[in-house]
Every structure is written in structure tokens, then in C-alpha cells.
Amino acid sequence: MGRETKETEENRKTRHKMVVVGPHISIITLHVNGLNSPIKRHRVAGWIKEQDPTICCLQETHLSPKDKHRLRVKGWRTILQANNEQKKAGVAILISDKVDFKAKQIKKDKEGQYIMIKGTLHQEDITLINIYAPNTGAPKFVKQLLIELKEDINNNTIIVGDLNTPLTPMDRTSRQKINKEIIELNEKLDQMDLIDIYRTLHPKTAGKK
């Protein structure tokens, strides 16, 4: 989706990407596919420290609400997450100790598919939404979620995550098709003035690996 003036980022099946929001603010997003392994958590923590982002968003953590300590990374004490009791799905947002961030409102679901944070970052308003869409019916899920969060989405909104949806033919694999649900999702994105910043910056790059 997009960033900057109507700012939102879609990042499906993306292993790692960094987005620069301002001269001193960066956001990385990583689909971790489970963090119950100590070795994997150590590797992810090391990668976060190496990238040194302002904000780190994780998808498919497979953690329970009681597992917040498993997300601890030195230098990123602020941890906000949405989890499923059965350790399915799961999303998390880690915020660097180096920045002045204040959360004003948090919305999340009980399935661990999304978390939304509204607050201020260096006294500037920011709304951050981290989504992990289900493998089945992803376009419909994302569209409905955008409708539900419509009043919260504004020109300071950034959406990251794994949408499990190819928004354009350039994003899809040979087995994926742009169907009616994806077309309707794109129409909703246009209506809400959301921009796929990756596709805007890389219009000819196939896929989002």
C-alpha cells in the first residue's frame, strides 16, 4: 500500500524490507514463520540489531499472549503484539528505545491477524497497522479490515505486513491469478487513497521477495 502523503506499505511474502519514513526513522517488516525456536529468536534478534530500525514489525510469530518475553531485543523495549491462544498467526511491533514514541490507542484482534497502534513519534502523529492475512480468503479479509479501520486511517498511516495477496500482475507467481476479490481490494485501496509504495518505487520489478 503506500507511504508519505497517504502513507501505507504492503509487504507480502517479503523476507525483509526497510522503509525510510523520515530522515531518522526507518521501519522494517519480517515474516518470521514462528518464533518458538530459541535459535531462530536469536537469529531474528541479531538481524534486528544489525538493521537497527526505528520500528520492527513481525508477522506469524506463533506466540501466545504470555510469550512477550520471547520478543525481547536489547534496545527495543516497547513491544506490542496480537496473539492467538493456539499459537497460530501472531503479529508484533517493536519500537526502538532511541525514539520518543507514545501510544495513544491500540486495536487488535484475538486471532493474531492484525494490530493497530495510534500515537506520536517525535511529537508527530503516526498510525501503524501490522497485518498477517490468512492464507485462505486473504483479499476479502484485508478489504474488510480496511473498512473496519476506515476511521483510523489517515495521511499519517503506514500499513505493513504479509497480505498473502498479489495486488498487481507483477506481484503474482505463475500459480496466482488476479481475481474478482483482488480487484475489489484494489478498488478499496484506491478509494481510501492508499498507495503501494514498493510498486510505486519498483514498477518493473517482478515479485516482492
Side-chain angles (χ1 to χ4, degrees), residues 10-205:
E10 179 275 331
N11 197 0
R12 26 159 302 299
K13 289 297 180 185
T14 300
R15 286 309 178 94
H16 56 275
K17 285 194 173 76
M18 178 172 286
V19 179
V20 178
V21 178
H24 305 294
I25 299 172
S26 62
I27 299 174
I28 60 174
T29 175
L30 183 67
H31 181 173
V32 295
N33 194 24
L35 284 177
N36 284 291
S37 163
I39 294 175
K40 193 169 188 180
R41 290 199 302 272
H42 178 74
R43 289 176 177 172
V44 170
W47 181 78
I48 292 172
K49 291 177 182 178
E50 180 182 348
Q51 298 296 322
D52 193 25
T54 306
I55 299 172
C56 177
C57 299
L58 306 176
Q59 300 90 41
E60 203 172 8
T61 58
H62 292 179
L63 299 176
S64 75
K66 299 178 181 179
D67 289 333
K68 186 176 180 178
H69 63 282
R70 297 181 186 272
L71 291 169
R72 287 176 184 163
V73 180
K74 187 176 181 180
W76 286 263
R77 283 181 295 181
T78 300
I79 302 171
L80 302 146
Q81 60 175 342
N83 303 101
N84 185 306
E85 291 288 352
Q86 283 74 43
K87 290 192 173 184
K88 297 178 180 179
V91 290
I93 298 175
L94 285 67
I95 301 173
S96 172
D97 299 345
K98 298 177 183 179
V99 296
D100 177 22
F101 175 79
K102 293 181 176 63
K104 296 180 179 179
Q105 182 184 11
I106 299 173
K107 288 185 179 182
K108 57 185 178 180
D109 68 341
K110 295 181 180 180
E111 300 302 318
Q113 304 287 169
Y114 87 92
I115 184 169
M116 183 203 78
I117 303 171
K118 294 179 77 73
T120 58
L121 190 62
H122 295 312
Q123 289 78 53
E124 295 287 337
D125 289 336
I126 184 173
T127 299
L128 183 62
I129 305 172
N130 186 10
I131 301 173
Y132 174 60
N135 291 320
T136 303
K140 187 176 181 180
F141 171 86
V142 176
K143 178 186 173 183
Q144 184 58 39
L145 180 59
L146 292 175
I147 293 172
E148 292 175 6
L149 299 178
K150 183 178 180 180
E151 298 303 316
D152 296 300
I153 295 175
N154 53 35
N155 62 345
N156 298 308
T157 298
I158 301 169
I159 300 178
V160 302
D162 185 346
L163 302 190
N164 272 316
T165 302
L167 296 178
T168 73
M170 291 290 288
D171 301 328
R172 67 185 179 88
T173 66
S174 59
R175 293 176 296 175
Q176 294 173 311
K177 295 182 179 180
I178 303 298
N179 57 28
K180 180 182 177 181
E181 289 185 347
I182 294 177
I183 292 172
E184 291 177 350
L185 172 57
N186 275 304
E187 289 173 350
K188 177 55 65 177
L189 294 173
D190 290 340
Q191 290 172 11
M192 299 180 72
D193 207 9
L194 296 171
I195 301 167
D196 181 347
I197 191 62
Y198 179 86
R199 186 51 63 209
T200 300
L201 296 175
H202 306 278
K204 297 182 180 180
T205 304

